[in-house]
Amino acid sequence: MNAVKKTRIKTVIKYTWPIYLVTGVIAVFALNFIFGVAHRTPAYKTFTFFIAGEYTDASKLSDDMLDKYKDKELKSVSCISANPNEGSFYTKLTTAGYNSADVLIINTSKLDNLKLSSFALGLSDELIATSYQGYTLYQQDDVKYGIKVDKEKVKEYMTLPEEDCYMLFNFRSENIGQYSKKQNAEHDNALTLVKEWGI
């Protein structure tokens, strides 16, 4: 390579190096995005709770659930909590709760102020007969939506309000078996958990 070519290359690099830098950064972000989309954990392998109260041990809840449902390929458990006495409760419920929770645990006084048909799965007679016969149910507008929580079974994981609390299924969840949009009976982690925690 002669001196003229070397000088020309140095001149080009001197004025175009930002393009190489920006191209490299864009390539890294693009690969990261593509990898994230291609390897995203399927919704039925994740489980999210919304709690009207406080978590006392979210990591124990996660560990216990991952161990219990490992045969159903559960990979992650997350928790969203909101204090029902704070002004931001409904904001957190409508944004994080409605959009990402599989099961919502809400106290009676808050349930009375909500339009449950906008987010909660109505419990059919068939579902009640096969899984929740004899459980205490919450009803609104002649539709049954919630199963009463047995607070003794959850006290090591969370602190709930003094009043009765009910578990509701988010109708967007993929963990409600044949009642989900994908209607896959094997993906029923939410149904099983509520049955275990109900009273």
Side-chain angles (χ1 to χ4, degrees), residues 13-41:
I13 290 174
K14 180 178 177 183
Y15 292 106
T16 60
W17 69 266
I19 294 171
Y20 300 123
L21 181 65
V22 170
T23 303
V25 170
I26 290 172
V28 168
F29 279 113
L31 288 172
N32 193 18
F33 176 76
I34 291 167
F35 183 79
V37 169
H39 294 88
R40 182 177 294 157
T41 304

Side-chain angles (χ1 to χ4, degrees), residues 33-123:
F33 176 76
I34 291 167
F35 183 79
V37 169
H39 294 88
R40 182 177 294 157
T41 304
Y44 71 89
K45 292 186 180 185
T46 66
F47 198 97
T48 303
F49 287 99
F50 176 88
I51 302 292
E54 294 180 18
Y55 286 101
T56 51
D57 199 341
S59 62
K60 179 169 175 36
L61 173 60
S62 177
D63 292 344
D64 288 354
M65 281 194 64
L66 290 173
D67 185 53
K68 181 176 278 192
Y69 298 112
K70 63 185 171 190
D71 60 322
K72 295 192 177 189
E73 303 179 81
L74 188 62
K75 299 292 181 197
S76 74
V77 177
S78 58
C79 310
I80 304 163
S81 67
N83 186 332
N85 299 319
E86 291 181 357
S88 62
F89 175 80
Y90 289 110
T91 303
K92 208 166 187 182
L93 173 64
T94 55
T95 53
Y98 289 4
N99 293 318
S100 59
D102 295 293
V103 172
L104 300 96
I105 301 177
I106 305 174
N107 51 316
T108 309
S109 61
K110 294 299 180 186
L111 287 175
D112 293 340
N113 297 325
L114 298 172
K115 184 176 168 111
L116 299 184
S117 61
S118 64
F119 71 93
L121 176 71
L123 306 177

